[in-house]
Amino acid sequence: MTENSTVRSVTYDLLRSLQLTTMFGNPGSTEQTFLQEFPDDFHYVLGLQEASVIAMADAFAQVTRRPALVNLHSSAGVGNSLGNLVAAYRGNTPLIITSGQQHRELLIGEPYLGNREAATLPKPWVKWSYEPYRAEDVPEAFLRAYAVALQPPAGPVYLSIPMDDWNQPLDGFTRTRTISDRVAPDIERLRLFADRISASRSPALVFGPEVDRAGGWDAAVALAEKLRATVYGSPLLDRASFPEDHPLFRGPLGMSVKTIGDHLAEHDLVIVIGAEVFRYYPYVPGEYLPAGTKLLHITADPAVAAYARMGDSLLSDTRTAIELLVDLVAEGTGRTSPEPMARPRQLPQTPNNPLTPPEVYSTLSRVKPADAVIVNESTSTMAQQIEWLPTVRSGSFFATASGGIGWGTPAAVGVALGDRANGVSRPVVGLIGDGSFQYSVQGIWTAAQHQLPIVYVVMHNHEYSILKSFAVLEETPGVPGLDLPGIDIASLARGYGCRAVEVETTEALEKEFTAALDAGTTTVIVVSTQPQTAML
């Protein structure tokens, strides 16, 4: 044992070897024994609320393509984080989440800030949850957490660590190892899939978030073009996996049983790769799978394959499966190419006041740099975003993987920090609804502190438009709490240290967005808009 070697020093050495030197957190008293004398080669990213911390780490891990380390405060901090922990779990993001536990000496007496049933608290939204029985087990618990977080399907894990463990003496931990994060397909079953695809008269490809996460964007394009197949975006996607301006792309598949079933009726075979079958919401009854239509499903997640309502499944890393399929399927030269997606892009001759979301997106389409990345949490206007601001590059669109809101604003921070860690310089555009912005507004403080090149465009329509759209669909009039009067978003943004402006015209939006790109800091542009009925 080296002089003054402790659980803490050994754990930090292990984290260095795993390249886990960026930590996202909001510290509390039970974490200070871990964070004391914080190493100079580690970087601590402070978020002002734990849900924001998780979203930042989530997006950072997605952009850097490696696990992110999170430190929360006991049960209180873990409880605050749960909303966005659901998104990280649904999005298969590898996070290693730690929280402090009270001193072991006090635990039997239910002490203040004790984390009761610590390993149970974050379930079921973590892959593994553990509190070491002995202080000397802490480094090995981190190594197991790292392995579980990375192995497919990737996802968040959780460790609760008593505060007195960190200063216990410990020899160095040397049993480090490497982890596999890809699973190859059963090649014979894949050949059967390829034969069925080649024989299809009118195949449809549905690419989901797993494809882009696995680096399969180019392979997906190659497969679609070889097959001459119609391509749809998977329902409620959180990563785009196919260029949305491609001639074979026909737009989102829809969200309800009826809408999806109607889209699939024109195809004899549907190949879903890297997505659930399907993410449904809301419930509008219809045919899950039309008569005469068959479905093949490829995913790296056994649970996703198991709870699919229909179709024959194959477990595989999606990029690997697609690359193999490109070689195995026959050319689709005999098929008629599908009609391109209709993009009406109709605007009034005289601009509206307030502006409509299509007018906002049309303006942004003229001034948004080609390499900019979009983080979208304007839930009622996502169809308009695809129409006017299609995703055309891998890793350039992010949204929450769960149904909760409050992810997008801090996630934009994580994207920008991930780009910085990767040595990449590109603008980050946060398209955020005014209701969504309030859930995690404190996230912009972190953006301002790090002088991140984020341009938030907040569409201020003074209501929860998405919920009003659901109220119409579900025939539930008179729902309270759907209006949001009296919020001064620009003043809030300035109070957190951001540059903030309010605009009401397309000319002003174009001018301020262009200025924001060169501002060298975070800008919040508040745009007065009309409510938009969501396409459900």
Side-chain angles (χ1 to χ4, degrees):
M1 180 167 56
T2 60
E3 185 177 358
N4 299 323
S5 180
T6 63
V7 169
R8 178 185 168 280
S9 65
V10 170
T11 300
Y12 274 105
D13 286 342
L14 174 64
L15 295 175
R16 284 187 186 93
S17 72
L18 298 175
Q19 297 184 309
L20 294 172
T21 57
T22 297
M23 187 184 304
F24 294 82
N26 184 274
S29 55
T30 54
E31 291 70 47
Q32 290 185 1
T33 48
F34 173 42
L35 299 173
Q36 63 181 315
E37 297 177 353
F38 195 68
D40 292 339
D41 59 330
F42 279 66
H43 180 47
Y44 191 90
V45 179
L46 174 62
L48 301 185
Q49 206 270 0
E50 290 87 353
S52 290
V53 167
I54 290 285
M56 291 175 195
D58 182 347
F60 180 85
Q62 291 190 56
V63 170
T64 60
R65 295 183 178 272
R66 60 178 184 266
L69 186 62
V70 180
N71 184 241
L72 305 176
H73 177 43
S74 191
S75 55
V78 176
N80 284 341
S81 77
L82 284 177
N84 281 332
L85 183 57
V86 176
Y89 182 85
R90 291 290 193 193
N92 298 125
T93 303
L95 300 181
I96 300 172
I97 301 165
T98 68
S99 76
Q101 173 62 291
Q102 256 287 9
H103 197 289
R104 288 181 185 271
E105 176 75 20
L106 297 176
L107 282 176
I108 196 169
E110 295 286 347
Y112 191 67
L113 294 179
N115 196 348
R116 177 187 286 188
E117 297 187 34
T120 303
L121 179 59
K123 293 180 179 180
W125 304 115
V126 291
K127 290 181 64 182
W128 183 57
S129 185
Y130 186 67
E131 184 174 277
Y133 288 94
R134 306 181 306 164
E136 54 264 45
D137 294 334
V138 169
E140 190 161 3
F142 268 91
L143 186 59
R144 180 174 172 183
Y146 178 81
V148 175
L150 266 181
Q151 288 172 340
V157 296
Y158 172 72
L159 296 175
S160 169
I161 303 168
M163 60 188 298
D164 53 315
D165 283 7
W166 294 109
N167 291 322
Q168 297 301 313
L170 182 67
D171 287 335
F173 181 77
T174 59
R175 298 194 307 277
T176 57
R177 54 201 177 93
T178 59
I179 306 300
S180 173
D181 62 356
R182 291 185 183 274
V183 177
D186 175 344
I187 193 64
E188 291 305 316
R189 187 167 178 82
L190 188 67
R191 286 195 179 99
L192 291 174
F193 275 33
D195 291 344
R196 292 176 64 181
I197 294 168
S198 297
S200 170
R201 298 185 312 275
S202 177
L205 287 164
V206 181
F207 291 120
E210 284 182 45
V211 175
D212 199 45
R213 288 198 292 267
W217 178 284
D218 292 339
V221 174
L223 180 62
E225 290 179 345
K226 185 172 184 179
L227 292 173
R228 282 192 178 181
T230 300
V231 178
Y232 296 101
S234 63
L236 297 162
L237 57 81
D238 47 284
R239 293 278 291 268
S241 294
F242 192 84
E244 294 172 343
D245 62 347
H246 194 285
L248 295 175
F249 184 69
R250 291 281 294 276
L253 190 56
M255 295 186 284
S256 69
V257 173
K258 183 180 189 315
T259 303
I260 293 172
D262 289 348
H263 273 110
L264 299 183
E266 62 184 271
H267 303 285
D268 63 331
L269 183 66
V270 179
I271 308 102
V272 180
I273 305 179
E276 298 169 52
V277 180
F278 289 103
R279 282 182 179 170
Y280 293 115
Y281 195 82
Y283 176 64
V284 180
E287 292 185 283
Y288 282 94
L289 195 64
T293 302
K294 303 297 183 182
L295 190 144
L296 303 177
H297 185 204
I298 300 174
T299 175
D301 190 335
V304 168
Y307 64 65
R309 306 292 292 273
M310 59 265 179
D312 301 325
S313 66
L314 172 70
L315 291 176
S316 174
D317 169 75
T318 52
R319 175 181 174 179
T320 302
I322 296 169
E323 289 175 343
L324 291 169
L325 279 175
V326 171
D327 292 331
L328 291 172
V329 298
E331 293 274 358
T333 52
R335 300 188 184 102
T336 301
S337 295
E339 291 293 324
M341 173 184 172
R343 296 183 187 273
R345 293 191 171 182
Q346 296 178 349
L347 296 173
Q349 291 184 344
T350 302
N352 287 288
N353 186 11
L355 297 173
T356 63
E359 289 173 295
V360 172
Y361 287 147
S362 171
T363 302
L364 295 179
S365 72
R366 297 194 297 270
V367 293
K368 182 185 75 69
D371 64 340
V373 58
I374 286 177
V375 180
N376 190 314
E377 199 168 89
S378 175
T379 52
S380 63
T381 71
M382 295 189 77
Q384 289 72 35
Q385 184 235 297
I386 292 175
E387 181 179 355
W388 290 97
L389 296 171
T391 302
V392 298
R393 287 178 173 81
S394 175
S396 62
F397 172 83
F398 298 87
T400 179
S402 75
I405 58 178
W407 183 88
T409 299
V413 177
V415 171
L417 288 171
D419 281 347
R420 184 173 287 178
N422 289 340
V424 172
S425 177
R426 59 177 178 169
V428 177
V429 181
L431 303 175
I432 314 293
D434 54 357
S436 295
F437 197 64
Q438 304 313 311
Y439 274 69
S440 50
V441 65
Q442 70 287 127
I444 64 176
W445 177 87
T446 305
Q449 290 295 306
H450 291 267
Q451 295 186 311
L452 298 176
I454 303 173
V455 184
Y456 290 104
V457 179
V458 181
M459 283 182 270
H460 196 18
N461 58 25
H462 305 278
E463 68 176 34
Y464 291 123
S465 288
I466 185 70
L467 296 181
K468 289 191 175 183
S469 298
F470 279 125
V472 173
L473 177 71
E474 296 165 355
E475 299 180 357
T476 54
V479 175
L482 303 187
D483 293 308
L484 299 171
I487 301 175
D488 187 345
I489 295 173
S491 293
L492 285 170
R494 293 187 192 104
Y496 281 112
C498 295
R499 178 177 174 270
V501 294
E502 296 175 281
V503 301
E504 295 184 352
T505 66
T506 56
E507 293 82 6
L509 174 58
E510 185 170 341
K511 175 185 175 183
E512 293 296 345
F513 188 90
T514 302
L517 294 175
D518 297 322
T521 188
T522 303
T523 299
V524 176
I525 302 174
V526 185
V527 189
S528 296
T529 57
Q530 297 181 23
Q532 174 71 51
T533 300
M535 297 180 65
L536 304 174

